[in-house]
Amino acid sequence: MDVTALSAPNVYVQAEWGFSGPYVGSESLLGLVDTSKGSIRPGENLDTQAVRDGLGGLLDLAREDDIDIATLRTHRSLCLCGAARGKDGELLRSLMLPTKFVPSSAADHRAQTIRMLLRLLTLQPAAVPTRDLWHVLAFDPTAAQDPVLVNLEATPAWTGLVLRGQSVAAWRNLWAWLVDQIEGLMEIRALADALAQSLPDQTVREFEDALPPVTHADGRPAPAEIDPSVRGLSDPERSLVRLALGARRVGTLEPRATAYFEGKDDDNQQLTPTWMLDRMTEWGDRSVRDFGRYLVRVLVERSQRIALKKTRYRSDGVLSIPSRVYVRDEFIFRDSNEGGGGVALRWDQLTTVLGGLGYVQRNADDLWEVTDRGRSVQ
């Protein structure tokens, strides 16, 4: 391993200070470092000896110009997989799941989220937690009755969040589909027609009436977003269906879930579930295809507003407008595609950290499962 070459500017990492930003941010939240005075200082929760023990001979290796395989093999104790057994792992466990904390503090929220995730993995081991567990949390009757999950304030909060995430993903996927349809310099009207032609020929009310129910008889959220009738659709119709389902969830969730499904900051904002509900009510007797044309206008105009809000002058004096699509009069063109997809819940990254701390491990089927240590803290 050529350490000198890898540590040169713009080789392994592009930023001048490497990956210090994410590490300092995490360590600051945990109290391992203090950045309040503009520099990085030891934090109140730092155990210097535990960190030194964890680093072992790593800093000595970093000073070498190159490292051969034989040398690496003699330093296997430095593998991150050993953190669960080390003093540094013990320190990190005490900070991730503290025994003493102020209720409703960041430490409390973090600990509850970790216990919730461990419990979900106990109920259902998962390969990709974000993908495989959000619907278990939101819809699974076993999770709804689980004594650990029921007693965590984080459970309804995350339930509201993952359900709102479905609406956000639907908007992102719809916009990605629209951007992908732009060919050359295209009339916005033609882009709107492309969406309209991909939607059913019915009224908005008829479109809504065909949707699966969003609640069970007892008021619990029903798995409408993953219903086969919805999964079987292709975009853009599937995205519009999920947006309509999100709108129908307005007023159906318990108070704490509602606060995270649609908060006070969402009042009078575009594209929220309530906004979508109001628009569908207004358009109830009109064509869903015309409604689609209307949404295209809304999204195009919104994309330009957001781009202008982020516009900055570069160091060379050139005005930079960060956008993938550009509008000139009634024409639109693109310089790249949109990715779409949902927002990051960070469950996958958290699970990896929990794996390093010995709370979870990969089983023979390559699924994350909870260890005895993980079960002991639920």
Side-chain angles (χ1 to χ4, degrees), residues 230-305:
V230 176
R231 280 184 165 178
L233 298 172
S234 58
D235 276 328
E237 185 178 358
R238 178 173 53 204
S239 290
L240 187 58
V241 165
R242 284 180 170 163
L243 289 171
L245 292 171
R248 296 184 77 173
R249 289 198 184 278
V250 173
T252 68
L253 303 172
E254 63 172 285
R256 185 165 174 79
T258 295
Y260 286 80
F261 177 71
E262 192 173 54
K264 293 180 179 179
D265 292 341
D266 289 324
D267 290 348
N268 302 316
Q269 295 292 319
Q270 280 187 325
L271 311 190
T272 65
T274 293
W275 180 91
M276 188 66 175
L277 179 63
D278 291 343
R279 300 295 81 76
M280 296 189 75
T281 300
E282 292 173 359
W283 283 78
D285 295 323
R286 300 168 66 180
S287 166
V288 71
R289 291 179 174 177
D290 286 342
F291 183 55
R293 292 185 176 96
Y294 161 75
L295 290 179
V296 170
R297 290 282 180 176
V298 170
L299 292 176
V300 168
E301 291 171 3
R302 182 180 176 84
S303 75
Q304 298 307 290
R305 289 199 307 274

Side-chain angles (χ1 to χ4, degrees), residues 138-345:
F139 306 132
D140 193 295
T142 302
Q145 299 169 6
D146 183 80
V148 174
L149 294 174
V150 166
N151 288 315
L152 292 173
E153 289 186 358
T155 299
W158 275 104
T159 299
L161 192 63
V162 299
L163 289 174
R164 177 62 179 273
Q166 291 300 297
S167 290
V168 174
W171 281 121
R172 288 166 57 89
N173 289 335
L174 178 58
W175 178 242
W177 184 90
L178 287 170
V179 172
D180 192 49
Q181 307 308 303
I182 301 173
E183 297 180 0
L185 188 62
M186 185 179 189
E187 285 188 278
I188 296 176
R189 181 179 60 183
L191 180 61
D193 287 341
L195 176 59
Q197 292 166 9
S198 300
L199 299 176
D201 183 14
Q202 57 188 169
T203 67
V204 171
R205 185 168 290 107
E206 290 170 340
F207 181 79
E208 283 189 275
D209 290 343
L211 299 176
V214 297
T215 59
H216 292 291
D218 60 2
R220 289 187 300 107
E225 288 83 353
I226 59 173
D227 188 272
S229 66
V230 176
R231 280 184 165 178
L233 298 172
S234 58
D235 276 328
E237 185 178 358
R238 178 173 53 204
S239 290
L240 187 58
V241 165
R242 284 180 170 163
L243 289 171
L245 292 171
R248 296 184 77 173
R249 289 198 184 278
V250 173
T252 68
L253 303 172
E254 63 172 285
R256 185 165 174 79
T258 295
Y260 286 80
F261 177 71
E262 192 173 54
K264 293 180 179 179
D265 292 341
D266 289 324
D267 290 348
N268 302 316
Q269 295 292 319
Q270 280 187 325
L271 311 190
T272 65
T274 293
W275 180 91
M276 188 66 175
L277 179 63
D278 291 343
R279 300 295 81 76
M280 296 189 75
T281 300
E282 292 173 359
W283 283 78
D285 295 323
R286 300 168 66 180
S287 166
V288 71
R289 291 179 174 177
D290 286 342
F291 183 55
R293 292 185 176 96
Y294 161 75
L295 290 179
V296 170
R297 290 282 180 176
V298 170
L299 292 176
V300 168
E301 291 171 3
R302 182 180 176 84
S303 75
Q304 298 307 290
R305 289 199 307 274
I306 292 174
L308 289 174
K309 186 176 181 179
K310 296 180 179 179
T311 297
R312 297 290 186 273
Y313 280 102
R314 297 192 323 221
S315 58
D316 57 4
V318 174
L319 185 67
S320 174
I321 303 177
S323 180
R324 290 186 172 90
V325 299
Y326 300 88
V327 174
R328 298 294 182 269
D329 297 322
E330 282 296 304
F331 290 87
I332 188 170
F333 62 95
R334 60 172 168 139
D335 64 10
S336 60
N337 286 335
E338 287 279 3
V343 294
L345 300 179

Side-chain angles (χ1 to χ4, degrees), residues 68-176:
D68 58 30
I69 297 298
T71 300
L72 288 175
R73 284 175 175 158
T74 62
H75 288 80
R76 289 180 178 176
S77 62
L78 296 177
C79 174
L80 280 175
C81 58
R85 301 182 297 276
K87 291 292 184 180
D88 54 335
E90 184 178 330
L91 169 63
L92 188 53
R93 279 195 298 272
S94 70
L95 298 176
M96 295 291 281
L97 280 169
T99 55
K100 296 180 180 179
F101 49 79
V102 177
S104 298
S105 64
D108 184 13
H109 295 158
R110 180 171 59 249
Q112 287 201 45
T113 293
I114 290 172
R115 290 191 170 94
M116 181 196 75
L117 185 56
L118 289 173
R119 193 59 179 176
L120 289 172
L121 286 168
T122 299
L123 298 177
Q124 181 174 307
V128 183
T130 300
R131 181 196 67 194
D132 300 337
L133 295 178
W134 76 265
H135 50 86
V136 176
L137 174 65
F139 306 132
D140 193 295
T142 302
Q145 299 169 6
D146 183 80
V148 174
L149 294 174
V150 166
N151 288 315
L152 292 173
E153 289 186 358
T155 299
W158 275 104
T159 299
L161 192 63
V162 299
L163 289 174
R164 177 62 179 273
Q166 291 300 297
S167 290
V168 174
W171 281 121
R172 288 166 57 89
N173 289 335
L174 178 58
W175 178 242

